[in-house]
Every structure is written in C-alpha cells, then in structure tokens.
Amino acid sequence: MTQEYNVVVGMEVHAQLLTNTKMFCRCSADYQGAPPNTHTCPVCLGLPGALPVSNRAAVEATIRTGLALNCEIAETAVFARKNYHYPDLPKGYQISQYELPLCRNGWVEIELPDGSVKRIRIHRAHLEEDTGKNTHAGLHTLVDLNRAGMPLLEVVTEADIASADEAYAFLTKLRSVLRYLGVNSGNMEEGALRCEPNISVRTPEQAARGELGAKVEVKNLNSLRAVRNAIAYEAERQAGVLNAGGVIEQVNMGWDEDRQRTVLQRSKESSEDYRYFPEPDLPPLVVDRQWVEETARTLPELPDAKEQRYRQDWSLRPADTGAITGEKAVADYFEAAVAAYGQEDGKPQRMANWITDELFRLLYADGEGQDLRQIAATRVQPQQLAALVQMVDARKINANTGKKVLELMYGSGDDPQTVVKREGLAMVSNTDVIDAAVQEAFDSNPDELARYRSGEKKLFGFFMGQMMRATKGKADPQAARQRLQEMLDG
Amino acid sequence: MKLTKDEVQHVAELAKLQLSDAELDEYAGQLDQILAYAQQIQSVDTSAVPPTPQVLPLSNVLADDASRDSLSNDQAVDNAPDTDGGYFRVIAVFDESGA
C-alpha cells in the first residue's frame, strides 16, 4: 500500500534592496552590466583595516518591510559575522544578523483556492550583505566582486506552507508587498529576488505527533513557476524514496530547469560551523519607537488593504481584486480610471472587467508580454479608457466595437471619440438602416427564413449574426434585436 | 574539559589550516588552556547583565545613501596573485560532493 504524505515547506527569501549604494560602503549599487571589479573599494574587497558603515536607507527599507510583514521591530539589532570560506566572499565572513535581527514574528496572508485565508508566519527578517559572483571557467574560477556587499534582506518563514501552490501564493504576495514598498525589483530571473524553500514530507501520524521529516533545501530557482515545480517535484521524490523503504537525507539540492528535476549539491553544513559572533566593527542599531512610528506612517496602502477596500466599497468580485492589486502599477491605473469613470452603480466592477479582460489581453500580447507593470507605460491613459467605457454605457458604440476601439487606442494613443469618428464606428440605431440590414439578411437566406417561420426559433441567433455583419457590427444590439423580432414575426 | 584531536582537526578544517599530527596535539593542549580560562570567566554570575556585543558607547552609526567613487579595476585587482580580464582568478572551486 502506498503511504500518503503531507508536504511541509519553509522558505528563505533573499531580496536585494533598491538602494543607491552598497550595505557597508558607498560603492554604487548600479553595477548591472558593468565590467568586473569596477564597483569595489577596500570595504567590499575585504582589505585589512577597512571600516564598514551601515547604509541608513537599507536599515529603513528593512524596518518598512518588517512593518509591512506585520513583524515586531527589535529595539536593538546587532550585526554578526557568519564565517565560511568561498572565493566570492572576500573577507572570509559574511556580515549578517544572527541572535538579534531587526524584525521578528510577522505574517503574510494568502488566499487558498476555497476562498479561505491562511496566515504564513514570518520567523524573522534581517539585513545582510550579498556575495560576489563566481564564474567557473575550466580549471579556474573567475571572481567579480561588484555585487559583494550589496544590501540583502533575508526573510525566513515558519514551516507553515503545505503545498507547492501555497508556496507560489506566498511568494507572489511577498513580491507584491516588496514592490509596493519600492524596496525590491522582484526580478527573480536576474537574481534580485531569490527563494530557497526547504521541503520535507511526513505521514499524517507523524504530523499528529508534531514530528518533521528530514528537510531538503532547493536552490537555483529563477522564477515563481520554478519554485512551484521544484516543490511539487521534491515532495513527490521524497514520498517515492520513503515508499521504497529508503531514507531522506538532509541535503542541498539544485533545480535543473531544463530537466525539471532536483539534483544533489553539497552536504549541508550545520549552523554552528558558521561560528557566528557579533561584528565588532559595527555598533548596534537602536531603533526607538518614534522611529518605528514615523516609518509606519510612510507605508503605502498595501495589496491586502486595497483588496479589502475594493470589495467593501466597490463590491468588486474577489477574482478581480487579486488580479488588480497584485501589481501596484495596475492598482494605480485602475484607481485613476475609476476616479475618471465613477464609483456608482457597479462602475468599478465594469472598469475592472475592461482592464482585466481587454487591456490585460493587449498587454500580454505586446512586446515582452507577461509583465503587467507595463500598464504604467501604455498609451491608453486611464481617463481615455474611462471615456471609452462611458461611450459604451451611453450606447454611442456597442461593446464589441468598444473592444476594437480600445485596440486602436492602444496602438495610437488617440482618444476614443477620435477613433470612433475616424473609423466610422458610431453605433447605428437608425431604424431605416437596421431595417435595411434585416431585409438584406432575409433576402440572402430565404431557406433559413422559411425554417424560422415554420417554427425553428433557434435560427434567431443566425439572423442576428447576419444582420450585425451587414452593419459591420455597428448596430445597436438592443434596437436590432427588437426590429429583427418584429420583422421575423411580421 | 579535554579537547579531542578530532575537534581540533575540525576547527582547523573550518579555518582551512593543514596541521600535522604533532601540531594537532600541541594545539589541542593550547586550546584547552584557553577554554579553561573562558570557563573560569563563565563562573561569574552575569544573570543581571545583558549580553554585550559592543563595548564602545556607540549606536546607529549610519551613512547617507549617496555613492562615492569606487576603485578603478586596476587598483581593485592590483594585489591579487592572479587575474584574468579584470577578474580575480582562483583555482576552480566545486561543491564538495563534486555534483
């Protein structure tokens, strides 16, 4: 019999903070694409006698993020040295935080498929420095230290994540919050946001006794999809090993994107091997409560709060609130469009439909695609979209024509009025024109007309289609339907 | 308390030191003395004293986030024993499992 297993996932997420300079020196953080070792100084090269000085903006970004993740902000936070040897780490230690991190005990809420809300607890969030970059070239390794010393925020969750989909939802939410705060680009492909899940499985009986299986940490995940696939794969692999009578070893694995599988990496060092001790070169951070309160006041409205407001004030459907609040650029666009269009009579929902159905479709099909933040650069201004939907409401154009007009606006940036006039797309409700179109449909299809009149009423739709084609889709559907009915029955 | 040779060997490996058998014995004895001294300090009652990571009367030494010039690439790699195209060059590192 095959045993059933529950999957247990905890995550470590590293987010490069969007500062101008590095964490402990004032080398420029703008090193992407720069030649190797051109953004370094004695501090980030680890030269003897150099004195690190903490970046105020990085400390503040960490406090902001901690507050947004519902963490307690420490009154005293202390940097510590994490000692290990690797060529991308010139000092032989990484400056991190250990016993006294800046942020602890927070949470992020995710929505489950059944609509319920689950809280993923944040164990801690702390500041540390990034390493350099190794390039392996045959018998040698080439080291570029431009990235060494970049500020990194590390977020560690409790092992509250119970599936690959929950992990995906958690990371999506975390990335969204980081982008709202403007502290991280959220770019996983470039490594600005890196996620290392640790994954274990256990039987329901073990779960009841509070036991955990041996955990496997997976690295080299460069997209949200890779995180989801790696967790699903690893959970299945572990269950397979156990069912075959094997044992799961606590190891690090890497994700092989091409083969969609995990592969063994080096064996995991136990934490005491890092020989953490307080960093003597950096005085402690003392965060008085006034600093925390002032920082809290600078937080923007976050995605959860926006979602709740859209649902409560504007009765938006839950499916749409998530799609709109996920990216701040989309939420900003939506709110500007609603401001121009109106908040009454279900208008926000109607606007949400236009954005998530029509505008998203155009964005996805355009250029790089997939990245909805492009909405901020679209030629269709929120006010122009509002004007377009108003024209549909006022039955100056019908909804299908509206979609066509939006497409033309998307290409040209023109106002909807201009497009409608230029393309001759105004809705036809003139009875003479409609009557002529109906007559044309009758004349071209005498057999169908006879069948309809002898009782085959479902042909109504056929005639409606013929009639709309004859008017190039511009007929007022309501008026057209009414005249068609009258003339069919007449 | 008596440090074993294996423990000394482990610490030496973490520090990337290669020690001979005689050295392992010698350092085991020396480290023992240091730990014995630390143990003596540990006998002091510090229950009312918060941990002290720093002895200087300083906190929140923070710099504004404004960039300054970095070293040139020539300066940065000047002291390196081996370089290649502006990179530091070292003997290839692989993960210990060889995977």
Side-chain angles (χ1 to χ4, degrees):
Chain A
M1 195 194 89
T2 312
Q3 171 70 48
E4 201 187 305
Y5 293 95
N6 302 333
V7 57
V8 179
V9 181
M11 289 231 233
E12 272 179 28
V13 180
H14 288 91
Q16 237 178 34
L17 295 174
L18 289 171
T19 51
N20 299 319
T21 68
K22 293 188 179 183
M23 183 62 222
F24 299 115
C25 61
R26 304 290 76 77
C27 284
S28 164
D30 187 18
Y31 65 84
Q32 288 285 354
N37 299 307
T38 52
H39 286 54
T40 65
C41 73
V43 172
C44 56
L45 289 173
L47 300 186
L51 188 68
V53 182
S54 296
N55 183 335
R56 182 191 305 277
V59 172
E60 281 174 351
T62 303
I63 296 173
R64 274 161 69 76
T65 309
L67 289 170
L69 301 179
N70 307 291
C71 289
E72 298 158 13
I73 308 301
E75 306 220 6
T76 303
V78 170
F79 287 104
R81 291 186 182 181
K82 177 181 182 177
N83 298 279
Y84 67 96
H85 287 280
Y86 214 60
D88 60 15
L89 188 72
K91 297 191 295 297
Y93 57 85
Q94 178 192 31
I95 304 179
S96 180
Q97 296 181 324
Y98 189 54
E99 286 170 315
L100 297 169
L102 258 175
C103 318
R104 278 187 205 267
N105 300 329
W107 44 266
V108 166
E109 283 181 342
I110 58 169
E111 197 165 333
L112 301 181
D114 67 2
S116 64
V117 167
K118 178 170 177 177
R119 210 169 256 204
I120 308 297
R121 289 170 300 159
I122 305 291
H123 176 62
R124 57 188 280 153
H126 70 247
L127 252 180
E128 59 185 35
E129 58 177 335
D130 209 343
T131 60
K133 195 169 187 306
N134 289 337
T135 306
H136 302 289
L139 296 172
H140 293 95
T141 293
L142 303 177
V143 185
D144 174 12
L145 296 177
N146 283 347
R147 192 181 70 180
M150 280 292 292
L152 276 188
L153 171 74
E154 177 174 330
V155 178
V156 183
T157 76
E158 300 288 354
D160 286 347
I161 297 165
S163 71
D165 286 340
E166 284 186 21
Y168 187 90
F170 166 77
L171 254 193
T172 305
K173 177 61 74 68
L174 178 64
R175 185 172 71 163
S176 173
V177 169
L178 295 174
R179 281 181 174 167
Y180 268 69
L181 296 171
V183 299
N184 174 256
S185 71
N187 191 328
M188 296 185 72
E189 288 74 19
E190 283 172 12
L193 186 66
R194 314 198 270 272
C195 168
E196 285 156 18
N198 58 70
I199 304 152
S200 62
V201 298
R202 58 183 177 180
T203 63
E205 294 72 35
Q206 285 177 302
R209 292 194 298 268
E211 292 171 15
L212 285 165
K215 59 187 180 183
V216 170
E217 189 170 307
V218 180
K219 296 169 183 290
N220 192 32
L221 298 166
N222 296 322
S223 69
L224 287 169
R225 198 176 313 125
V227 173
R228 176 155 64 188
N229 291 347
I231 293 172
Y233 176 89
E234 188 54 30
E236 204 167 306
R237 183 191 73 82
Q238 292 181 20
V241 169
L242 293 172
N243 278 330
V247 177
I248 302 298
E249 286 186 61
Q250 182 162 325
V251 289
N252 284 348
M253 308 278 271
W255 178 244
D256 183 332
E257 179 69 29
D258 292 334
R259 290 189 293 163
Q260 292 287 304
R261 51 167 295 188
T262 55
V263 289
L264 188 67
Q265 288 188 332
R266 71 193 151 105
S267 59
K268 199 170 167 64
E269 290 174 56
S270 66
S271 91
E272 57 267 23
D273 277 1
Y274 288 127
R275 294 150 293 147
Y276 283 96
F277 63 87
E279 166 59 81
D281 287 344
L282 289 163
L285 298 171
V286 176
V287 187
D288 66 42
R289 298 303 94 178
Q290 194 190 335
W291 190 4
V292 175
E293 280 164 32
E294 278 167 14
T295 308
R297 277 199 291 274
T298 69
L299 292 185
E301 185 182 33
L302 294 166
D304 283 352
K306 268 196 199 298
E307 236 179 282
Q308 213 173 1
R309 181 162 62 84
Y310 292 170
R311 288 184 198 183
Q312 276 177 3
D313 295 0
W314 293 345
S315 310
L316 231 59
R317 283 193 303 265
D320 292 315
T321 53
I324 288 175
T325 59
E327 295 289 359
K328 186 170 185 296
V330 175
D332 288 347
Y333 188 97
F334 171 66
E335 290 185 21
V338 169
Y341 178 49
Q343 308 190 4
E344 69 284 0
D345 306 331
K347 280 184 166 180
Q349 177 64 56
R350 223 145 53 235
M351 181 52 70
N353 296 344
W354 276 90
I355 291 175
T356 59
D357 293 342
E358 303 309 322
L359 193 51
F360 278 14
R361 186 171 51 76
L362 294 169
L363 287 166
Y364 278 139
D366 190 13
E368 306 280 302
Q370 305 310 312
D371 191 344
L372 291 174
R373 285 177 297 169
Q374 294 178 94
I375 200 170
T378 171
R379 293 190 189 172
V380 182
Q381 298 302 308
Q383 297 76 9
Q384 290 176 309
L385 179 58
L388 172 68
V389 183
Q390 270 158 355
M391 288 177 80
V392 175
D393 287 353
R395 300 177 54 206
K396 290 179 184 154
I397 50 175
N398 68 39
N400 274 328
T401 306
K403 292 174 192 175
K404 203 192 296 177
V405 173
L406 180 61
E407 225 171 291
L408 294 167
M409 291 165 67
Y410 190 85
S412 66
D414 287 336
D415 285 339
Q417 296 87 341
T418 311
V419 173
V420 167
K421 200 169 168 192
R422 188 175 62 222
E423 307 287 329
L425 292 169
M427 188 150 74
V428 174
S429 39
N430 181 313
T431 316
D432 291 345
V433 178
I434 289 177
D435 283 3
V438 173
Q439 195 56 52
E440 192 187 323
F442 287 178
D443 292 347
S444 318
N445 303 283
D447 293 350
E448 283 77 4
L449 183 61
R451 277 161 57 201
Y452 179 89
R453 289 197 165 140
S454 62
E456 213 176 315
K457 299 295 184 199
K458 66 168 197 253
L459 283 168
F460 185 86
F462 168 78
F463 281 109
M464 191 71 191
Q466 292 295 311
M467 211 260 341
M468 289 305 278
R469 191 174 304 164
T471 61
K472 299 198 177 69
K474 293 184 290 187
D476 174 355
Q478 241 174 305
R481 180 170 286 113
Q482 197 187 341
R483 275 311 287 153
L484 178 62
Q485 191 75 65
E486 286 166 9
M487 289 172 73
L488 278 168
D489 297 341
Chain B
M1 129 143 11
K2 189 79 192 150
L3 267 183
T4 66
K5 238 161 113 170
D6 282 349
E7 285 168 322
V8 178
Q9 178 70 43
H10 176 65
V11 173
E13 277 168 16
L14 289 175
K16 303 281 178 202
L17 294 175
Q18 269 188 328
L19 299 182
S20 69
D21 220 42
E23 284 171 322
L24 285 176
D25 278 330
E26 186 186 349
Y27 294 143
Q30 291 181 0
L31 281 171
D32 254 346
Q33 285 175 17
I34 293 167
L35 289 177
Y37 176 64
Q39 214 163 24
Q40 199 182 331
I41 292 173
Q42 268 178 334
S43 66
V44 178
D45 179 12
T46 57
S47 55
V49 184
T52 307
Q54 273 266 347
V55 292
L56 298 173
L58 292 172
S59 65
N60 297 349
V61 177
L62 300 169
D64 288 338
D65 188 26
S67 67
R68 283 194 224 136
D69 285 348
S70 296
L71 297 177
S72 69
N73 177 261
D74 284 347
Q75 289 171 314
V77 302
D78 193 34
N79 290 320
D82 194 7
T83 65
D84 183 358
Y87 290 92
F88 296 96
R89 189 162 85 155
V90 299
I91 294 164
V93 284
F94 292 106
D95 290 325
E96 280 124 39
S97 67

